[in-house]
Amino acid sequence: MFARLFTQNQNRLYIAQCLLFLAALGAFFSLASPYFLSLGNVNNVLTAGAVIGLMAIGATFVIASGGIDLSSAGVMAFCGTLCAFCLQKGGWSPWLALPFSIGLGGLCGFLTGFLVNITEAPSFIVSLGMMSVARAAAYIVSKGMPIYGLPDNVISAGQGQMLGLQVPVLLLIVGIVLAWILLTQTQFGLHTLILGDNAFAAQAMGVPAGRVRLKTFTLAGIYSGVAGIIFMLRTNSGDPTAGQGYELIAITAVILGGANLFGGRATIIGTVLGVLCLGVLQNGLNLLAVSTYYQTLFVGLVLIAAAFLSRVRSQR
Amino acid sequence: MSGLRLENITKSFGAIQVLQPMTLAFKAGQVTAIVGDNGAGKSTLLKVMAGIHKPNAGAIYLDDKLLTNLSAADHRACGVEMVYQDLALAKQQNVVANLFLGREQTRTCFGFLNRTAMAERAKNELNRLGISIADLNTPVGMLSGGQQQAVAIARAALFEPKVLLFDEPTAALAAREVGQVLDLIRQQKEQGRIVILVSHRLNDVFAVADRIVVMKQGRLISDTPTAATSMSKVVENIVG
């Protein structure tokens, strides 16, 4: 009976495991620190989680399709820096600078997907190249220095609240809903999972594999672009060094949320829970004044545990 | 002329000629088995018919429509379906997703899935074929080998194909499951489809086939009605 429930509800089981881990972390940190459950701190966790969250949601599509995108943090830094450059140096309207920067994020993703399709090289190699290209572009645009002094109207909009929520959190929620619809309700979402599950079957049955792959990388680029804008708004600057190593945290969150690292299985809800677990872990360790060296160690251990868990799950 | 016709089909992979010029015709309501030793070119011939491989020369016609050089998806659209040896199933996806793989029913131009309609049709089709699967939401990888084979066959039969190609459909099955799969193949024949079967298992071939084609090193060795040959004669043709 249990075995049957388990096999038929794999996604639900992995989400439940993630929820359990999150609850355990929450219980531990709320006992260890009186500030952990305060409204301000919860808001901090959510706002800080918005950048990684959006990158992880984009990565979910790529991982579901059997690929890996290592360029997300580079693209995120490039989009944020470029947007700051356009606003501050170029004097562009935010209505132009924001979509332009996010669009270029999508273009970076499109190029990664296109190169993966035509070279048939592993996506982690191609995206590693794109990571360097995007990061270098961020340095070139900013001449290696952070761009400060964004227009006041942009800062107040980005750091303000709407519907009682911080703008980054609101953007994250919109991103979650759109991604959930795409992955679970559309033919594209199903084709993404099928491509990751059995690429030969997908092609033999007429699934346009190249087009699906292209869309997943483009989507990941767009989500990284939005994450870059949020990072820019939160720090009031376009920083070319932004988010170094974030791509691995985003991938960790996706795997922690129950996705199969080799493709075919992923959920948006799982990814969001994975992001929350990592966010709570880092926030809790900060509150307990744990040294950043140890924080990095803990995140690394979670990554190893997530990779191990993914291996065990894919063997079932 | 109706039916499936291959005219002087050849296929090479680099310097190796896997199929020598081959001409064959297949009629509706008939099961043709293609047998031969490893490397005879049976699976390649099947994949050429399915549009997976493009022939180097020759022509393929289905009811006088030229299929040569069309893609696998176009072959499917024209009514040629294949059940692959490894089944080509997405094992982490459920039964319904696999049955409609590549031909999902959608509600709008935005590609929203019509899951209710697909589940309903999947249930009816499996009932019609006498395939019993308790829960269609089960990931296909969790089903038995026979059930997975049945899902692959049901997928091929779902859109009323004219031609059904089977590549070693009983190779990895237990005896009881073999019987079920052979029954499914007979059902397809009775529904007037062209059924072409590649198999190493001669017992299964003699149980369902109306005609046996023997291939060796990419050549056609013999093409006889099952009633006019024997297992020893077929074995002789395969190894001789």
Side-chain angles (χ1 to χ4, degrees):
Chain A
M1 177 70 183
F2 177 76
R4 195 170 152 191
L5 272 176
F6 165 73
T7 56
Q8 290 174 10
N9 295 294
Q10 271 182 321
N11 284 338
R12 280 183 221 166
L13 183 88
Y14 299 151
I15 288 169
Q17 285 174 351
C18 208
L19 264 175
L20 209 63
F21 182 50
L22 184 62
L25 284 174
F28 173 76
F29 287 122
S30 59
L31 288 173
S33 166
Y35 306 107
F36 179 75
L37 283 180
S38 69
L39 201 61
N41 190 55
V42 171
N43 213 359
N44 271 346
V45 172
L46 292 176
T47 312
V51 172
I52 292 285
L54 286 163
M55 287 167 62
I57 290 169
T60 305
F61 285 93
V62 177
I63 290 172
S65 73
I68 285 282
D69 184 8
L70 294 178
S71 70
S72 57
V75 172
M76 186 270 272
F78 170 57
C79 294
T81 310
L82 182 74
C83 189
F85 179 84
C86 293
L87 289 167
Q88 209 266 338
K89 311 268 186 197
W92 290 24
S93 152
W95 296 107
L96 187 61
L98 268 69
F100 175 70
S101 308
I102 294 168
L104 276 186
L107 183 65
C108 290
F110 177 88
L111 284 175
T112 308
F114 178 72
L115 290 170
V116 171
N117 278 343
I118 61 163
T119 62
E120 295 182 7
S123 55
F124 78 91
I125 296 285
V126 178
S127 62
L128 195 64
M130 181 54 75
M131 176 178 85
S132 292
V133 170
R135 182 71 70 182
Y139 281 116
I140 291 165
V141 164
S142 63
K143 295 191 172 67
M145 298 297 289
I147 300 169
Y148 294 108
L150 302 182
D152 287 344
N153 58 341
V154 175
I155 299 304
S156 56
Q159 297 186 351
Q161 289 196 340
M162 278 175 78
L163 308 169
L165 292 165
Q166 295 277 333
V167 168
V169 178
L170 201 67
L171 287 173
L172 176 65
I173 291 170
V174 172
I176 291 169
V177 173
L178 285 177
W180 180 83
I181 291 171
L182 276 176
L183 191 61
T184 64
Q185 304 298 312
T186 68
Q187 193 177 33
F188 159 68
L190 186 55
H191 283 178
T192 300
L193 291 163
I194 287 167
L195 179 62
D197 199 329
N198 186 339
F200 170 76
Q203 280 183 315
M205 295 298 138
V207 171
R211 210 183 313 156
V212 171
R213 197 174 291 115
L214 210 55
K215 285 182 188 173
T216 61
F217 277 98
T218 306
L219 209 54
I222 291 171
Y223 271 89
S224 294
V226 178
I229 301 298
I230 292 176
F231 196 96
M232 178 198 76
L233 293 172
R234 285 193 64 220
T235 58
N236 190 12
S237 68
D239 183 359
T241 65
Q244 291 197 358
Y246 276 22
E247 65 280 330
L248 293 181
I249 298 178
I251 291 167
T252 307
V254 178
I255 303 305
L256 202 60
N260 185 344
L261 187 55
F262 308 101
R265 189 187 60 239
T267 62
I268 298 300
I269 296 168
T271 294
V272 172
L273 288 173
V275 170
L276 284 176
C277 285
L278 293 173
V280 164
L281 181 67
Q282 280 196 314
N283 174 267
L285 293 172
N286 274 336
L287 289 179
L288 298 181
V290 174
S291 144
T292 51
Y293 305 141
Y294 285 99
Q295 288 190 27
T296 310
L297 174 74
F298 280 118
V299 172
L301 289 176
V302 172
L303 173 59
I304 292 167
F308 174 73
L309 212 59
S310 173
R311 183 77 196 147
V312 170
R313 286 163 174 170
S314 67
Q315 283 172 342
R316 278 173 177 160
Chain B
M1 185 185 159
S2 67
L4 181 70
R5 279 185 295 132
L6 311 181
E7 291 182 359
N8 292 313
I9 288 290
T10 65
K11 179 66 189 170
S12 304
F13 293 110
I16 301 166
Q17 183 144 17
V18 182
L19 294 178
Q20 305 289 342
M22 186 162 299
T23 298
L24 279 166
F26 304 93
K27 285 192 297 187
Q30 189 182 60
V31 178
T32 303
I34 301 175
V35 297
D37 209 347
N38 288 337
K42 315 178 295 288
S43 290
T44 303
L45 181 64
L46 221 55
K47 285 175 181 165
V48 166
M49 289 190 251
I52 304 288
H53 294 323
K54 303 272 175 285
N56 294 101
I60 305 170
Y61 295 95
L62 178 60
D63 296 342
D64 289 330
K65 181 179 166 59
L66 184 66
L67 299 186
T68 324
N69 293 328
L70 293 183
S71 69
D74 291 333
H75 277 243
R76 285 186 89 196
C78 291
V80 181
E81 290 280 351
M82 179 158 171
V83 178
Y84 294 85
Q85 186 170 4
D86 71 353
L87 305 181
L89 295 170
K91 297 204 173 174
Q92 296 173 85
Q93 314 312 315
N94 67 24
V95 176
V96 179
N98 273 281
L99 285 177
F100 286 87
L101 209 164
R103 289 195 290 214
E104 295 81 7
Q105 293 183 6
T106 54
R107 288 177 198 277
T108 62
C109 56
F110 294 110
F112 283 94
L113 293 168
N114 191 344
R115 290 188 189 276
T116 317
M118 288 197 293
E120 191 62 31
R121 186 160 173 205
K123 199 172 142 191
N124 291 339
E125 183 66 16
L126 292 174
N127 282 341
R128 190 173 67 79
L129 293 171
I131 297 167
S132 168
I133 295 171
D135 185 352
L136 299 189
N137 288 317
T138 309
V140 162
M142 300 297 172
L143 301 176
S144 71
Q147 284 177 315
Q148 289 186 26
Q149 185 69 262
V151 170
I153 294 173
R155 177 176 67 193
L158 187 61
F159 289 89
E160 306 289 331
K162 292 175 182 165
V163 182
L164 262 169
L165 310 168
F166 290 90
D167 193 4
E168 300 285 0
T170 55
L173 299 182
R176 193 175 62 85
E177 293 173 328
V178 168
Q180 289 169 351
V181 168
L182 295 181
D183 283 343
L184 285 171
I185 293 173
R186 286 189 196 98
Q187 269 184 41
Q188 299 308 313
K189 169 193 161 181
E190 283 157 15
Q191 286 172 14
R193 293 183 178 132
I194 298 168
V195 180
I196 303 169
L197 163 77
V198 160
S199 180
H200 274 106
R201 296 172 62 142
L202 291 183
N203 285 332
D204 300 346
V205 166
F206 274 84
V208 291
D210 301 301
R211 170 188 169 201
I212 300 175
V213 171
V214 179
M215 285 178 67
K216 191 176 177 188
Q217 292 175 342
R219 286 192 172 82
L220 188 69
I221 300 298
S222 67
D223 181 356
T224 46
T226 308
T229 189
S230 65
M231 205 174 288
S232 56
K233 182 73 184 159
V234 170
V235 172
E236 197 178 300
N237 283 336
I238 291 172
V239 299

